[in-house]
Amino acid sequence: MTNSENISTYDLARSRNLPHLLARFTEKWAPEEGTIQAHLDVLKSSGFVWIAKFGKSIGNSPIDRTNDEIGKRSPMFLVLMTVGSRELSDRRPRGGLFLLDEVRKKSEFSWKVSGIPAYYRKIMMSAGTWFKASKGIALSDAQLYEISIISSQSYAEATLRRSMASYFKVRISMPLMKSILPDLTDTSDGIESITRHI
């Protein structure tokens, strides 16, 4: 089924209270344009992009819950984020927000799929979890403060600076979610929703 063959209404108000996922990334293997832009370039050319979380899987429970919520028409998001010192001349985005279509365990992923950044080819076997995204935006430094860690109830950036964990469950502000889903409409029952091609 192509992206234009099915239209679904998504409940953004429900999504505001759900645990979304944040994965830490490093620019160690990324091309010159950086991790976020590399993924956005694939998304633009292919209509979707597969995003890998390298190392240990995030576990069956968050994968199953995320896929279940996607099935219930609740927009689910992945945040990619990095912190730490960098040169003032390095203008590569430190974060990205991606609208998810599905999440797969390593055992469920086919290594022959399209929509994978080219630089993954040498390191993709070490990926523990795969995320398929149909929309994405680079985040400004200011927008990073619109993401909070559920467990610590603090800004994501502050938590990442003092924690070595590779992924977190997060809350995302409504304005930030709307920035990636600009075509919001109000349904008759007052619930904010988005009509989206999938």
Side-chain angles (χ1 to χ4, degrees), residues 50-180:
W50 284 100
I51 303 166
K53 179 202 171 294
F54 295 99
K56 186 178 179 181
S57 170
I58 66 172
N60 292 341
S61 179
I63 291 175
D64 292 343
R65 176 164 188 181
T66 300
N67 285 329
D68 183 57
E69 292 296 343
I70 292 171
K72 293 177 181 177
R73 303 194 304 275
S74 301
M76 297 299 291
F77 296 93
L78 171 70
V79 177
L80 292 182
M81 190 170 172
T82 188
V83 296
S85 60
R86 63 176 182 174
E87 298 295 328
L88 292 176
S89 60
D90 186 356
R91 304 313 304 162
R92 294 177 294 185
R94 294 193 297 130
L97 180 66
F98 295 86
L99 177 67
L100 295 176
D101 283 351
E102 64 175 303
V103 187
R104 292 187 188 178
K105 308 167 192 173
K106 181 176 183 178
S107 61
E108 299 171 338
F109 188 75
S110 169
W111 308 107
K112 298 180 180 180
V113 300
S114 59
I116 298 175
Y119 78 94
Y120 275 15
R121 296 299 176 182
K122 295 181 179 180
I123 55 175
M124 61 191 300
M125 292 300 291
S126 64
T129 309
W130 289 89
F131 305 87
K132 185 180 182 183
S134 56
K135 288 180 180 289
I137 58 171
L139 298 177
S140 67
D141 285 356
Q143 287 175 315
L144 298 179
Y145 289 95
E146 297 185 52
I147 302 160
S148 60
I149 305 296
I150 292 176
S151 60
S152 64
Q153 297 184 349
S154 62
Y155 294 127
E157 183 173 31
T159 299
L160 263 66
R161 287 188 182 280
R162 61 176 181 261
S163 171
M164 295 302 294
S166 60
Y167 94 97
F168 302 85
K169 295 177 182 179
V170 297
R171 297 259 192 265
I172 301 170
S173 74
M174 182 65 80
L176 192 54
M177 288 192 288
K178 287 182 178 180
S179 69
I180 197 173

